[in-house]
Amino acid sequence: MGAPPGLLMAVIALIAGCNAPAAPTTKTPCDVGGRPDYFVPAPEESPLAIIGCARLGVSGKPVEFSANSRPIGRRDHVCLNPAYRGRGRLGIYIPAACVPDPVSRRLAVIGVEVPRQAVRGYQLVIWGTSAASTRRVVAHHEGGRTRAAVFTVGRPLARAAGVTRPFSVFVVELHPEAACRRVLVRATGTAAPSTTWIRPRPRLCHSA
């Protein structure tokens, strides 16, 4: 006995959705250089500045990045703060990460997660840093290629955040199934192309 037509169509749609290419993540206007109007886990006296905003390509949901400097141990660090929207407001979930200052010019993936804490609807979000000269970042995965949004933190913006030298931040969103296999991230700009691999993340893949 065959499956009901309605059920068969639903299964086909689900499979098509899993294999569909992710739309590019795009930059959106925001108060770049200003201070966030929500709480950011940074010292009160620390320089803090919004460095870019984006609409993620799969979920269509927003993310806003800010940066600040802070000493950790005996070294200065740059803390990067991706702010996600939940419960009707931005910044309800901020999984901040800090890297040594100055930020490395090498392409580096810092965050790979499906944001869930106090937020809903986000998919596989990948973000990191690269050289200030970066103009394009693309994630190569089993479903194809997906372009990231790239925020250039030039000298004036770096000063506003208390950062030593310019750098770039990128962010891209993929379907969670992309985490089942390795993902290649490639950055290009005025310097030589740079690449890095993201290993499979079964926990993220199987939670899709």
Side-chain angles (χ1 to χ4, degrees):
M1 183 175 179
L7 177 60
L8 182 60
M9 292 302 294
V11 171
I12 292 173
L14 177 61
I15 294 172
C18 290
N19 292 328
T25 291
T26 55
K27 293 195 290 186
T28 55
C30 62
D31 185 23
V32 172
R35 291 182 70 91
D37 59 4
Y38 46 82
F39 172 77
V40 173
E44 188 174 342
E45 70 282 0
S46 170
L48 172 66
I50 296 169
I51 59 174
C53 301
R55 185 161 302 281
L56 299 169
V58 178
S59 65
K61 298 179 75 66
V63 63
E64 179 173 279
F65 278 82
S66 61
N68 64 279
S69 63
R70 70 180 303 171
I72 300 177
R74 296 185 177 182
R75 289 197 63 177
D76 289 335
H77 283 67
V78 179
C79 295
L80 301 166
N81 315 296
Y84 297 99
R85 180 179 293 278
R87 300 175 185 171
R89 61 188 179 91
L90 192 64
I92 195 70
Y93 176 48
I94 304 176
C98 301
V99 298
D101 185 15
V103 177
S104 173
R105 292 188 174 96
R106 297 182 63 180
L107 176 66
V109 172
I110 297 175
V112 181
E113 70 167 328
V114 178
R116 287 199 177 93
Q117 186 174 319
V119 300
R120 293 182 179 179
Y122 287 94
Q123 302 301 304
L124 181 67
V125 180
I126 299 169
W127 67 273
T129 59
S130 60
S133 60
T134 300
R135 295 295 176 264
R136 179 184 175 97
V137 174
V138 176
H140 299 254
H141 50 96
E142 191 173 49
R145 296 180 298 177
T146 303
R147 187 166 179 173
V150 179
F151 313 124
T152 302
V153 182
R155 292 193 183 279
L157 189 52
R159 283 196 297 269
V163 179
T164 300
R165 73 181 179 204
F167 63 99
S168 293
V169 170
F170 70 88
V171 61
V172 65
E173 187 181 46
L174 307 178
H175 296 284
E177 293 80 9
C180 296
R181 298 182 180 275
R182 292 200 305 169
V183 174
L184 174 67
V185 180
R186 187 173 191 266
T188 55
T190 57
S194 180
T195 61
T196 188
W197 286 95
I198 302 172
R199 60 179 174 79
R201 307 290 178 99
R203 181 180 58 84
L204 297 177
C205 168
H206 294 153
S207 68

